[in-house]
């Protein structure tokens, strides 16, 4: 038991230390650059300046407001994407003609980078809420759809035969066999989709918006407030990680059998 | 004319499964591949049929055709006097690979085929059948937490749970150790005698085929054909170490090793 436990703790500490090595180096370079070179503060602020700006933005409530606006856009777009993505992904996975109808066009659309959509969407929807939601949907919908489809399609024939043997209806076969089999893969899509939504909203706000964390960044840039830009970037990163972790925890709870399987695999 | 009619009626009453001149081909790489050739098999209600044959000779395919999971183009396949067009509620099957659904707990896997039952009755049936196969206490486990043999037993419980009148078993004891296997053989015989279930079991264990079968279907490969159907005298076949048992064994071995010099047979025969 003892020999089993010690390396685990050691492993945890090692993990944390290793993860901190590169941030530490970056901070060192940053310190060096601000102390021993003549880069203007408008381009590269000092670490204390950034810290101070961070605290100020936090205190004034501006940061909270910016983040909430961006997150609420993500939620709208993401929920729409999740519903549509799972629905159409299932449809494509279950019915060959639907697949033949939709997959070619979807494959083409997916080649267009999200940024390339923004000009057209701004032309059509302006720079209000709708355009943000549309851009998020364009990113997240396809990620969720493609993963749902692949999860449904990879259902082993043997399990479908079991459903056939017990004369399950088409709908029951879907809910009891195809869907549970696809759930892990759907969750992968939902997770990618959430990350994609967050990136999409920040990008869209950078280019065309009057509020949100991305807008804050672009307006700070035009005022040469590099400290605000850096604070916003750090916040975007942290919020992204938190959303990803959060959704990971929720999804693990939704697929208890996967936990058991993973544990078995680790033991082997 | 009259005679013919009577014959048909007799068929209806006495044969729960009737297979006549069944041929089955699979298309592999656009080439037809004959898997089953001119299969004729009539099974009476309550009979225990065992099927032995080389790997790949079409045993699983034959079972799937009988339960309606695989189509056939040529020949007659009837259950209870009706042509088989698909699975029926009273015909159960235990697959070669156990096919428990990984996302369902064992109790829900066993209860998978139990539709339209009140919750309590359903639970009771699940409990009873889990106990029967020795898996009491594993209700809330997931299939990945079970050993291969336990999974097979859970699959057998699922096959039995909705009280089929016909149960098709595809090498159900393949992953069991010798002791559990003998125990399960006794159990399946007990169930068969109690519930009068008609059983068709594919096995690669010749001892098992003799011990369980009222008749043993011996199949040859490529294409799968029935070589012989051996009637078994149960009084002799239930004594595993008796001379009668050994004689059956030699007879079956002779099919598979045509110039048979399998030594340990000879020991038994003497
Ligand atoms: N769906 C299918 N499509 C094409 N070929 C198939 C299909 N199912 C089975 N076959 C082929 O039919 C033959 C018989 O298969 P089957 O599974 O019935 O054999 P088996 O007697 O059960 O073998 P084993 O003892 O190894 O389980 C094999 O050659 C196999 O490759
Ligand atoms: Mg087989």
């Amino acid at each position: 038991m003892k020999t089993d436990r010690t390396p685990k703790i050691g492993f945890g500490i090692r993990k944390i230390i290793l993860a901190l090595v590169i941030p530490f180096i970056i901070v060192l370079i940053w310190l060096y650059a601000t102390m021993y070179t003549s880069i203007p503060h408008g381009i590269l602020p000092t670490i204390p300046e950034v810290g101070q700006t961070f605290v100020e933005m936090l205190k004034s409530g501006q940061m909270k407001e910016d983040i909430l606006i961006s997150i609420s856009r993500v939620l709208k777009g993401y929920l729409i994407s999740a519903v549509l993505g799972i629905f159409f992904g299932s449809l494509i996975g279950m019915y060959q003609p639907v697949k033949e109808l939709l997959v070619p066009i979807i494959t083409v659309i997916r080649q267009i980078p999200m940024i390339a959509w923004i000009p057209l969407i701004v032309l059509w929807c302006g720079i209000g809420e709708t355009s943000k939601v549309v851009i998020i949907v364009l990113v997240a919908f396809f990620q969720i759809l493609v993963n749902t489809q692949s999860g449904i399609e990879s259902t082993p024939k043997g399990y479908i035969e079991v459903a056939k043997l017990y004369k399950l209806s088409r709908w029951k076969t879907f809910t009891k066999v195809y869907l549970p089999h696809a759930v892990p893969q759907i969750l992968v899509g939902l997770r990618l989709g959430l990350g994609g939504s967050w990136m999409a909203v920040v990008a869209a706000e950078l280019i065309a918006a009057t509020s949100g964390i991305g807008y804050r960044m672009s307006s700070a840039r035009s005022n040469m407030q590099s400290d605000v830009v850096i604070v916003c970037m750090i916040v975007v990163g942290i919020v992204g990680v938190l959303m990803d972790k959060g959704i990971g925890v929720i999804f693990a709870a939704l697929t208890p059998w996967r936990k058991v399987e993973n544990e078995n695999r680790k033991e082997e | 004319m009259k005679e013919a009619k009577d014959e048909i009626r007799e068929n209806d009453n006495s044969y729960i499964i009737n297979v006549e001149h069944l041929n089955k081909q699979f298309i592999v790489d656009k080439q037809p591949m004959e898997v089953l050739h001119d299969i004729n098999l009539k099974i009476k209600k309550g009979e225990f049929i065992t099927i032995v044959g080389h790997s790949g000779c079409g045993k699983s395919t034959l079972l799937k055709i009988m339960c309606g999971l695989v189509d056939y183009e040529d020949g007659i396949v009837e259950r209870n006097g009706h042509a088989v067009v698909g699975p029926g509620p009273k015909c159960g099957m235990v697959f070669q690979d156990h096919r428990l659904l990984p996302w369902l707990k064992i109790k829900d896997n066993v209860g998978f085929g139990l539709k339209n039952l009140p919750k309590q009755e359903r639970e009771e049936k699940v409990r009873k059948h889990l106990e029967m196969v020795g898996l009491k206490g594993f209700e809330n486990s997931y299939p990945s937490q079970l050993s291969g043999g336990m999974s097979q037993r859970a699959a057998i419980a699922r096959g039995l749970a909705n009280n089929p009148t016909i149960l098709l078993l595809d090498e159900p004891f393949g992953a069991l150790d010798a002791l559990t296997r003998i125990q399960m053989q006794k159990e399946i015989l007990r169930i068969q005698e109690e519930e009068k279930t008609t059983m068709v079991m594919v096995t690669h264990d010749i001892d098992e085929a003799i011990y369980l079968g009222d008749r043993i279907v011996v199949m040859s490969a490529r294409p799968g054909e029935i070589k012989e159907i051996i009637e078994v005298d149960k009084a002799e076949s239930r004594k595993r170490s008796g001379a009668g048992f050994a004689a059956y064994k030699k007879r079956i071995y002779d099919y598979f090793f045509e110039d048979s010099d399998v030594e340990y047979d000879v020991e038994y025969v003497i």
Side-chain angles (χ1 to χ4, degrees):
Chain A
M1 258 348 271
K2 253 189 184 165
T3 46
D4 213 72
R5 227 174 254 171
T6 12
K8 250 188 192 165
I9 292 172
F11 185 70
I13 290 173
R14 200 187 73 179
K15 230 167 107 177
I16 293 169
I17 289 177
L18 282 181
L20 287 176
V21 168
I22 293 186
F24 187 68
I25 293 174
I26 292 174
V27 167
L28 277 185
I29 296 174
W30 188 356
L31 270 178
Y32 177 85
T34 49
M35 284 163 79
Y36 301 107
T37 66
S38 52
I39 301 175
H41 283 201
I43 302 290
L44 185 68
T46 63
I47 292 178
E49 276 171 1
V50 169
Q52 209 183 331
T53 310
F54 185 83
V55 173
E56 274 168 20
M57 285 175 75
L58 214 56
K59 269 193 186 152
S60 70
Q62 189 189 51
M63 187 189 297
K64 192 177 138 200
E65 194 184 317
D66 290 339
I67 293 176
L68 284 182
I69 287 174
S70 298
I71 287 184
S72 77
R73 288 172 179 157
V74 164
L75 280 184
K76 276 184 229 155
Y78 181 66
L79 284 180
I80 295 173
S81 309
V83 171
L84 293 181
I86 293 173
F87 179 77
F88 283 102
S90 303
L91 221 54
I92 292 172
M94 298 283 290
Y95 296 101
Q96 192 63 26
V98 181
K99 181 177 174 178
E100 284 157 12
L101 179 76
L102 294 180
V103 166
I105 182 73
I106 287 174
T107 314
V108 173
I109 293 176
R110 286 189 66 213
Q111 306 309 313
I112 304 168
M114 170 259 294
I115 294 282
W117 282 101
I118 294 179
L120 189 64
I121 288 168
V122 170
L123 272 179
W124 286 352
C125 312
I127 59 169
E129 291 308 291
T130 323
S131 63
K132 309 297 169 304
V133 173
V134 171
I135 288 164
I136 293 168
V137 170
L138 274 169
V139 172
F141 168 69
F142 292 115
Q143 263 161 345
I144 297 167
L145 176 141
V146 169
N147 279 283
T148 303
Q149 176 200 348
S150 123
I152 298 277
E153 277 176 350
S154 60
T155 309
K157 213 172 145 260
Y159 296 152
I160 300 162
E161 258 183 5
V162 172
K164 226 172 129 188
L165 179 70
Y166 290 107
K167 300 190 69 119
L168 263 59
S169 65
R170 189 96 184 128
W171 173 247
K172 276 265 163 120
T173 306
F174 174 69
T175 58
K176 298 216 154 185
V177 181
Y178 284 99
L179 196 58
H181 177 267
V183 161
Q185 180 106 51
I186 294 176
L187 297 187
V188 168
L190 286 174
R191 199 166 175 169
L192 289 174
L194 186 62
S197 302
W198 182 236
M199 288 187 222
V201 82
V202 173
E205 287 170 353
L206 270 171
I207 296 174
T210 51
S211 60
I213 188 101
Y215 164 74
R216 184 69 51 214
M217 270 158 114
S218 79
S219 80
R221 180 194 54 83
S222 39
N223 298 333
M224 290 291 275
Q225 294 171 306
S226 58
D227 50 345
V228 175
V229 173
I230 292 178
V231 168
C232 288
M233 282 177 70
I234 294 173
V235 167
V236 166
I238 291 173
V239 171
V241 170
L242 287 181
M243 290 205 297
D244 190 62
K245 292 282 173 221
I247 208 166
V249 170
I250 296 171
F251 289 173
L254 286 177
T255 51
W257 71 93
R258 298 270 295 181
K259 182 163 168 274
V260 172
E261 280 169 16
N262 289 341
E263 273 164 13
N264 287 353
R265 223 167 281 143
K266 267 180 213 152
E267 274 162 31
E268 276 166 15
Chain B
M1 262 333 270
K2 202 168 177 248
E3 266 177 30
K5 246 188 187 169
D6 282 345
E7 206 182 288
I8 288 166
R9 203 180 304 142
E10 196 186 297
N11 274 355
D12 285 354
N13 291 338
S14 49
Y15 296 120
I16 191 160
I17 293 179
N18 179 33
V19 180
E20 280 177 43
H21 306 299
L22 168 71
N23 297 305
K24 171 71 194 171
Q25 293 182 336
F26 280 117
I27 307 292
V28 180
D29 289 334
K30 292 179 184 157
Q31 295 289 318
M33 182 183 72
E34 193 165 27
V35 177
L36 293 171
H37 178 74
D38 195 26
I39 301 291
N40 292 284
L41 182 61
K42 294 176 191 301
I43 301 173
K44 287 200 275 298
K45 214 169 257 178
E47 230 183 342
F48 203 130
I49 300 288
T50 50
I51 302 178
V52 293
H54 280 299
S55 177
C57 74
K59 307 180 295 291
S60 298
T61 307
L62 179 58
L63 286 200
K64 284 185 190 171
I65 289 175
M66 291 201 276
C67 77
L69 284 175
V70 168
D71 293 334
Y72 56 99
E73 299 82 29
D74 195 13
I76 296 173
V77 181
E78 292 173 335
R79 273 196 321 253
N80 293 311
H82 299 288
V84 172
V85 287
K90 285 288 140 203
C91 181
M93 170 130 181
V94 176
F95 295 94
Q96 192 165 0
D97 44 344
H98 53 74
R99 294 193 186 173
L100 300 173
L101 303 172
W103 45 88
L104 294 182
K105 291 175 175 178
I106 294 305
K107 60 175 181 193
D108 297 319
N109 263 297
V110 171
F112 191 73
L114 298 173
K115 291 181 287 186
N116 317 321
L117 274 186
K119 192 164 173 257
Q120 207 179 348
E121 203 174 317
R122 192 183 132 107
E123 275 171 6
E124 176 55 26
K125 283 204 164 184
V126 169
R127 197 197 53 74
K128 183 181 133 194
H129 286 96
L130 274 176
E131 200 173 320
M132 194 184 276
V133 297
L135 284 178
K136 204 175 154 188
F138 289 91
E139 289 83 357
N140 291 313
S141 303
Y142 285 102
S144 63
Q145 293 172 299
L146 265 52
S147 72
M150 288 159 84
S151 303
Q152 271 193 332
R153 284 183 278 149
I156 293 168
R158 178 175 68 189
L160 289 167
N162 59 347
N163 299 92
T165 52
I166 304 168
L167 187 59
L168 310 172
L169 302 126
D170 197 351
E171 298 191 21
F173 305 150
L176 301 185
D177 63 284
L179 296 176
T180 319
R181 176 185 280 251
I182 290 174
Q183 208 179 320
M184 287 302 296
Q185 288 170 357
K186 286 187 175 154
E187 190 65 26
I188 210 95
L189 274 185
R190 191 189 61 71
I191 293 164
Q192 198 237 358
E193 272 152 25
E194 217 167 78
E195 320 238 334
K196 302 277 176 281
T197 317
T198 308
M199 304 248 184
V200 184
M201 182 193 283
V202 170
T203 171
H204 57 241
D205 178 344
I206 292 177
D207 285 29
E208 184 169 275
I210 300 166
Y211 180 72
L212 292 176
D214 297 320
R215 287 189 291 154
I216 306 168
V217 175
V218 182
M219 286 181 69
S220 71
R222 272 163 227 283
E225 279 177 318
I226 295 184
K227 280 204 172 179
E228 196 189 345
I229 300 179
I230 302 173
E231 296 266 353
V232 180
D233 181 344
K234 287 334 283 181
E236 293 193 31
S237 72
R238 292 286 152 80
K239 287 192 283 260
R240 288 179 200 261
S241 53
F245 197 92
Y248 284 122
K249 207 162 155 177
K250 171 141 180 53
R251 199 164 148 194
I252 296 169
Y253 266 102
D254 282 345
Y255 274 106
F256 297 116
F257 308 99
E258 256 148 32
D259 38 14
S260 175
D261 49 22
V262 185
E263 275 188 23
Y264 89 107
D265 268 14
V266 183
E267 264 174 40
Y268 277 118
V269 174
I270 295 164

